[in-house]
Structure formats: structure tokens, C-alpha cells
Amino acid sequence: EIESRHRLRGGWGGGGDREWGRGLPYDSALSQEALETLAEEAGFSGSEGRSLAFTRAASVLKALPGRLSTLEELGPLPGIGEHSRRVIQDVLEDGVCAEVERVKLSERYQTMKLFTKIFGVGVRTASRWYQEGLRTLVDLQERGTKLTRQQQAGLRHYDDLNTPVERGEAESISRAVQGAVQRCLPGTSVTLAGGFRRGKPHGHDVDLLLTHPEAGREAGLLSRVVSWLDSQDLILYQHSQENSYALQEGPEPPGGRDVMDRFERCFSIFRLEVQGGPGAARGWKAVRVDLVVAPISQFPFALLGWTGSRHFERELRRFASHERKMVLNSHALYDSRRNLFLPAVSEEEIFQHLGLEYVPPAQRNT
Ligand code: GTP
Ligand code: MN
Ligand code: MN
């Protein structure tokens, strides 16, 4: 058996080992999880490139139809590197990968995970705290760690914000925002984007996109909406950003990774009345909500950008730039060969410009 393992390690995709793995039906979910853990760990160490490679490999597995039962099925698949293959092989053979188990048990990984789950805490801050010897949420409070207002809110609502948001809750928040915009600017539309638009049953937050059919009317809308929601005691925390996008400036340089868009937006925590689940005793639950305002002419781009998944967006933008010499972001699509912006009134039209078949939201969960 050892010998055949050895052979396999050396001979990926050879096709000479067809027998191997027969009778071992295997769900690729375990390998995906293992690869995602390594992606996360690489991110914690600041190795973005390595993190991306593991994420890609995990998403290739996710896209495989059915179950993975033999190693050579992976043979011709691009996007799965040497290291990822080794992990998949370990999981196939033993059900676990020692490297991944080691990571999961390490104090650094566990602490980084704990800290980065605080709203407003990124890898850099978490890493600094770890280095300073902080290990628990109580440590943060007791040692008088300096926290931003956002991090304080994140810590205060830590458990709620790390409890998945149900679709029904997202819809209820969406309705509350609908109500608010109808008071502030009738005719404004509110669209549920993010994972919920992709059909996911739950998510980590609620992403809502606002626009008005008459160009320009949306300016200044967000602060009025937020004030009204606040006056109704629906908001526990918020910070807003103004729109800083000007089309005349030209497109963002291609290849910039995960460039934040420049829409007027609000990062907030809502106070949602609940009957059941965690928080039922209090009667409410804290929920993260992103509100984004897009002018109507940019709406299809904003919708495409905010529907995700993050990985799908990254791949789509990469395709646009590498295969089409176009720059795609949440504001516009720019054709660098012809030196012009390609307008669109729907997501379908954006895919057409890119020469791609339309991918409905439910198929963007890669
Ligand atoms: P869950 O919220 O975990 O359920 O998943 P999600 O897919 O909804 O993730 P998230 O809310 O983080 O983001 C939704 C989409 O909006 C993703 O495709 C992100 O790329 C995009 N997004 C989130 N924040 C920003 C941002 O600041 N700028 C831009 N341009 N896009 C963003
Ligand atoms: Mn989301
Ligand atoms: Mn979001």
C-alpha cells in the first residue's frame, strides 16, 4: 500500500492508477475545508498570493460535478498546485491532512481567528495584538487595549455578529430600509445583493443596494435614510463614507486587487427585533448591514460587483483584463483597446460586452 501511495505521489494524472480509490466514494467538502483553512492561515501570515492559490484550488473542487473518488480526476484540472494536491491526497487517504490539523490547533491560528471575527479588526491589528500577548476577548477589555468605535461595537455585539443571518431576517431588514427610503425619497429602489441574492440561505451580513431611476436624485439620500432609521432606534452603530467616484478620472488601474469601490455607503449594525433564536430573551439581535447607493447609470455594475462572490468577482475582473483588455469594477466597464466606457442597463449586457454567457446569481457561488 505504501508503495502505491508513493507511486501516486509521483504520478499525478498518469492514468495508470485507475483502480485506486474505487469503492471509496469521497465527498470533496472535506478537502475544500482543508484548503480553505490553509487559505485563511496564509492570509493571517500576510501571504496573499499563497492564500489566493489555496482559495482557487478549493473553488475548483467546489465546481467539480459530483463526488471526487479518484486522484486522477484532478489530473487535468488547472488551478490546483502541488501543495494543494498533497493536501487533497492526504484527505483522500486518511480523512485528514496533518498539516491542516496542526494549523487548526495552533494558538496563533485560533487567536487570529477569534480577533479577526471582531467587526473592524483586520489581519494587521489581530496580528499586533497576538504579538503583544493578547489571547482572548476578555484580555482586550481587561488590558485596556485601545479600540476604535467600530471595534468597540464589534466587541459588544461579538456573539450576535458571529451568528449567521437568516434569509427571513435579511428580508425583514430590507423591508425596514424600504420603508425608510419611501419616506426620504419615494421611487428609490432597494435591492438585496450579496450572498442572499445568490440564493444562500444565510450570510454574515445584509448587503443592500439603493438607487433612484432619475439620475442625481440619489445624492444625499443615504444620510437622510440613516438618520431616520436611527431615530427609530434601528441602528446600533454606523459609519458612512461619501461618494468619491468621478468617471472623468478614468478607470482604476487594472490588476489592483480588491479595490474598494467609491460609492456612498454605510457600514452599520442594525437592531433587529426577533422572536426566536439567540437574542430571543432580549427581543432583539444585532445584524451587520451594508448600505450602498449607486447612481442609476452605474447600478448594473454595482449590482454585479456587490452580488459576489468575492472569488467570482476576482475571476471575472481578471478575465476582463487578461482576455479582453477591459477594466471591470463596480462603477463601470472600460475598453482599453478602444479607449471607451461600455455602458449597460443590465447585468446581462455587461456579460455581453465581455463576450460571456450570462451567469445567473445562483451560479456565482464559486
Ligand atoms: P456573506 O455576507 O458572508 O454571506 O457573503 P457575501 O458574498 O455577501 O460577502 P460580502 O457581504 O462580504 O460581500 C458581498 C459582495 O460585495 C462581494 O462580492 C464583495 O466583493 C463585495 N464587496 C464587499 N465590500 C465591498 C467593498 O467595499 N467594495 C466593493 N467594490 N465590493 C465590496
Ligand atoms: Mn454579504
Ligand atoms: Mn457585505
Side-chain angles (χ1 to χ4, degrees), residues 20 45 49 77 131 189 198 203 313 359:
W20 193 91
S45 321
L77 287 173
Q131 233 110 97
S189 71
R198 303 196 306 274
E313 300 300 329
V359 180

mmCIF file with all atom_site columns, all heavy atoms in Angstrom, residues 20 45 49 77 131 189 198 203 313 359:
data_model
loop_
_atom_site.group_PDB
_atom_site.id
_atom_site.type_symbol
_atom_site.label_atom_id
_atom_site.label_alt_id
_atom_site.label_comp_id
_atom_site.label_asym_id
_atom_site.label_entity_id
_atom_site.label_seq_id
_atom_site.pdbx_PDB_ins_code
_atom_site.Cartn_x
_atom_site.Cartn_y
_atom_site.Cartn_z
_atom_site.occupancy
_atom_site.B_iso_or_equiv
_atom_site.pdbx_formal_charge
_atom_site.auth_seq_id
_atom_site.auth_comp_id
_atom_site.auth_asym_id
_atom_site.auth_atom_id
_atom_site.pdbx_PDB_model_num
ATOM 1  N N   . TRP A 1 20  ? -7.266  2.836  -8.194  1.00 0.00 ? 20  TRP A N   1
ATOM 2  C CA  . TRP A 1 20  ? -7.113  3.425  -6.883  1.00 0.00 ? 20  TRP A CA  1
ATOM 3  C C   . TRP A 1 20  ? -8.354  4.202  -6.478  1.00 0.00 ? 20  TRP A C   1
ATOM 4  O O   . TRP A 1 20  ? -8.927  4.958  -7.252  1.00 0.00 ? 20  TRP A O   1
ATOM 5  C CB  . TRP A 1 20  ? -5.915  4.382  -6.851  1.00 0.00 ? 20  TRP A CB  1
ATOM 6  C CG  . TRP A 1 20  ? -5.570  4.731  -5.440  1.00 0.00 ? 20  TRP A CG  1
ATOM 7  C CD1 . TRP A 1 20  ? -4.691  4.079  -4.632  1.00 0.00 ? 20  TRP A CD1 1
ATOM 8  C CD2 . TRP A 1 20  ? -6.121  5.783  -4.666  1.00 0.00 ? 20  TRP A CD2 1
ATOM 9  N NE1 . TRP A 1 20  ? -4.663  4.651  -3.400  1.00 0.00 ? 20  TRP A NE1 1
ATOM 10 C CE2 . TRP A 1 20  ? -5.522  5.696  -3.395  1.00 0.00 ? 20  TRP A CE2 1
ATOM 11 C CE3 . TRP A 1 20  ? -7.057  6.775  -4.915  1.00 0.00 ? 20  TRP A CE3 1
ATOM 12 C CZ2 . TRP A 1 20  ? -5.832  6.582  -2.372  1.00 0.00 ? 20  TRP A CZ2 1
ATOM 13 C CZ3 . TRP A 1 20  ? -7.373  7.648  -3.902  1.00 0.00 ? 20  TRP A CZ3 1
ATOM 14 C CH2 . TRP A 1 20  ? -6.764  7.562  -2.641  1.00 0.00 ? 20  TRP A CH2 1
ATOM 15 N N   . SER A 1 45  ? -0.940  35.173 7.803   1.00 0.00 ? 45  SER A N   1
ATOM 16 C CA  . SER A 1 45  ? 0.505   35.426 7.775   1.00 0.00 ? 45  SER A CA  1
ATOM 17 C C   . SER A 1 45  ? 0.872   36.490 6.759   1.00 0.00 ? 45  SER A C   1
ATOM 18 O O   . SER A 1 45  ? 2.042   36.729 6.513   1.00 0.00 ? 45  SER A O   1
ATOM 19 C CB  . SER A 1 45  ? 1.266   34.146 7.425   1.00 0.00 ? 45  SER A CB  1
ATOM 20 O OG  . SER A 1 45  ? 0.688   33.040 8.033   1.00 0.00 ? 45  SER A OG  1
ATOM 21 N N   . GLY A 1 49  ? -0.675  35.882 -1.863  1.00 0.00 ? 49  GLY A N   1
ATOM 22 C CA  . GLY A 1 49  ? -0.538  35.037 -3.042  1.00 0.00 ? 49  GLY A CA  1
ATOM 23 C C   . GLY A 1 49  ? -0.831  33.567 -2.715  1.00 0.00 ? 49  GLY A C   1
ATOM 24 O O   . GLY A 1 49  ? -1.590  32.903 -3.412  1.00 0.00 ? 49  GLY A O   1
ATOM 25 N N   . LEU A 1 77  ? -6.933  19.223 -14.160 1.00 0.00 ? 77  LEU A N   1
ATOM 26 C CA  . LEU A 1 77  ? -7.527  20.467 -13.656 1.00 0.00 ? 77  LEU A CA  1
ATOM 27 C C   . LEU A 1 77  ? -6.479  21.549 -13.406 1.00 0.00 ? 77  LEU A C   1
ATOM 28 O O   . LEU A 1 77  ? -5.566  21.355 -12.614 1.00 0.00 ? 77  LEU A O   1
ATOM 29 C CB  . LEU A 1 77  ? -8.286  20.191 -12.358 1.00 0.00 ? 77  LEU A CB  1
ATOM 30 C CG  . LEU A 1 77  ? -9.593  19.441 -12.518 1.00 0.00 ? 77  LEU A CG  1
ATOM 31 C CD1 . LEU A 1 77  ? -10.143 19.093 -11.151 1.00 0.00 ? 77  LEU A CD1 1
ATOM 32 C CD2 . LEU A 1 77  ? -10.580 20.265 -13.318 1.00 0.00 ? 77  LEU A CD2 1
ATOM 33 N N   . GLN A 1 131 ? 0.919   39.467 18.936  1.00 0.00 ? 131 GLN A N   1
ATOM 34 C CA  . GLN A 1 131 ? 2.315   39.712 19.273  1.00 0.00 ? 131 GLN A CA  1
ATOM 35 C C   . GLN A 1 131 ? 2.486   40.327 20.662  1.00 0.00 ? 131 GLN A C   1
ATOM 36 O O   . GLN A 1 131 ? 3.453   40.062 21.360  1.00 0.00 ? 131 GLN A O   1
ATOM 37 C CB  . GLN A 1 131 ? 2.879   40.693 18.241  1.00 0.00 ? 131 GLN A CB  1
ATOM 38 C CG  . GLN A 1 131 ? 4.111   40.208 17.607  1.00 0.00 ? 131 GLN A CG  1
ATOM 39 C CD  . GLN A 1 131 ? 4.023   39.808 16.185  1.00 0.00 ? 131 GLN A CD  1
ATOM 40 O OE1 . GLN A 1 131 ? 4.342   40.600 15.352  1.00 0.00 ? 131 GLN A OE1 1
ATOM 41 N NE2 . GLN A 1 131 ? 3.620   38.579 15.926  1.00 0.00 ? 131 GLN A NE2 1
ATOM 42 N N   . SER A 1 189 ? -35.269 52.460 -5.195  1.00 0.00 ? 189 SER A N   1
ATOM 43 C CA  . SER A 1 189 ? -35.380 51.005 -5.071  1.00 0.00 ? 189 SER A CA  1
ATOM 44 C C   . SER A 1 189 ? -34.311 50.458 -4.137  1.00 0.00 ? 189 SER A C   1
ATOM 45 O O   . SER A 1 189 ? -33.210 51.014 -4.036  1.00 0.00 ? 189 SER A O   1
ATOM 46 C CB  . SER A 1 189 ? -35.284 50.335 -6.441  1.00 0.00 ? 189 SER A CB  1
ATOM 47 O OG  . SER A 1 189 ? -33.961 50.428 -6.918  1.00 0.00 ? 189 SER A OG  1
ATOM 48 N N   . ARG A 1 198 ? -27.474 35.471 -4.245  1.00 0.00 ? 198 ARG A N   1
ATOM 49 C CA  . ARG A 1 198 ? -27.002 34.236 -4.861  1.00 0.00 ? 198 ARG A CA  1
ATOM 50 C C   . ARG A 1 198 ? -27.770 33.033 -4.367  1.00 0.00 ? 198 ARG A C   1
ATOM 51 O O   . ARG A 1 198 ? -27.430 31.890 -4.669  1.00 0.00 ? 198 ARG A O   1
ATOM 52 C CB  . ARG A 1 198 ? -25.493 34.043 -4.586  1.00 0.00 ? 198 ARG A CB  1
ATOM 53 C CG  . ARG A 1 198 ? -24.600 35.181 -5.039  1.00 0.00 ? 198 ARG A CG  1
ATOM 54 C CD  . ARG A 1 198 ? -23.133 34.769 -5.095  1.00 0.00 ? 198 ARG A CD  1
ATOM 55 N NE  . ARG A 1 198 ? -22.623 34.207 -3.854  1.00 0.00 ? 198 ARG A NE  1
ATOM 56 C CZ  . ARG A 1 198 ? -22.127 34.908 -2.844  1.00 0.00 ? 198 ARG A CZ  1
ATOM 57 N NH1 . ARG A 1 198 ? -22.057 36.224 -2.930  1.00 0.00 ? 198 ARG A NH1 1
ATOM 58 N NH2 . ARG A 1 198 ? -21.689 34.310 -1.758  1.00 0.00 ? 198 ARG A NH2 1
ATOM 59 N N   . GLY A 1 203 ? -26.168 34.302 5.815   1.00 0.00 ? 203 GLY A N   1
ATOM 60 C CA  . GLY A 1 203 ? -24.968 35.051 5.480   1.00 0.00 ? 203 GLY A CA  1
ATOM 61 C C   . GLY A 1 203 ? -24.378 35.718 6.705   1.00 0.00 ? 203 GLY A C   1
ATOM 62 O O   . GLY A 1 203 ? -24.898 35.563 7.813   1.00 0.00 ? 203 GLY A O   1
ATOM 63 N N   . GLU A 1 313 ? -16.056 37.553 -8.421  1.00 0.00 ? 313 GLU A N   1
ATOM 64 C CA  . GLU A 1 313 ? -15.725 38.909 -8.885  1.00 0.00 ? 313 GLU A CA  1
ATOM 65 C C   . GLU A 1 313 ? -14.261 39.001 -9.301  1.00 0.00 ? 313 GLU A C   1
ATOM 66 O O   . GLU A 1 313 ? -13.927 39.582 -10.328 1.00 0.00 ? 313 GLU A O   1
ATOM 67 C CB  . GLU A 1 313 ? -15.962 39.937 -7.775  1.00 0.00 ? 313 GLU A CB  1
ATOM 68 C CG  . GLU A 1 313 ? -17.385 40.003 -7.264  1.00 0.00 ? 313 GLU A CG  1
ATOM 69 C CD  . GLU A 1 313 ? -18.384 40.361 -8.346  1.00 0.00 ? 313 GLU A CD  1
ATOM 70 O OE1 . GLU A 1 313 ? -18.012 41.094 -9.280  1.00 0.00 ? 313 GLU A OE1 1
ATOM 71 O OE2 . GLU A 1 313 ? -19.522 39.867 -8.282  1.00 0.00 ? 313 GLU A OE2 1
ATOM 72 N N   . VAL A 1 359 ? -24.258 34.631 -16.473 1.00 0.00 ? 359 VAL A N   1
ATOM 73 C CA  . VAL A 1 359 ? -24.181 33.721 -15.326 1.00 0.00 ? 359 VAL A CA  1
ATOM 74 C C   . VAL A 1 359 ? -25.170 34.220 -14.269 1.00 0.00 ? 359 VAL A C   1
ATOM 75 O O   . VAL A 1 359 ? -24.965 35.281 -13.689 1.00 0.00 ? 359 VAL A O   1
ATOM 76 C CB  . VAL A 1 359 ? -22.762 33.695 -14.718 1.00 0.00 ? 359 VAL A CB  1
ATOM 77 C CG1 . VAL A 1 359 ? -22.705 32.745 -13.530 1.00 0.00 ? 359 VAL A CG1 1
ATOM 78 C CG2 . VAL A 1 359 ? -21.727 33.320 -15.767 1.00 0.00 ? 359 VAL A CG2 1
#
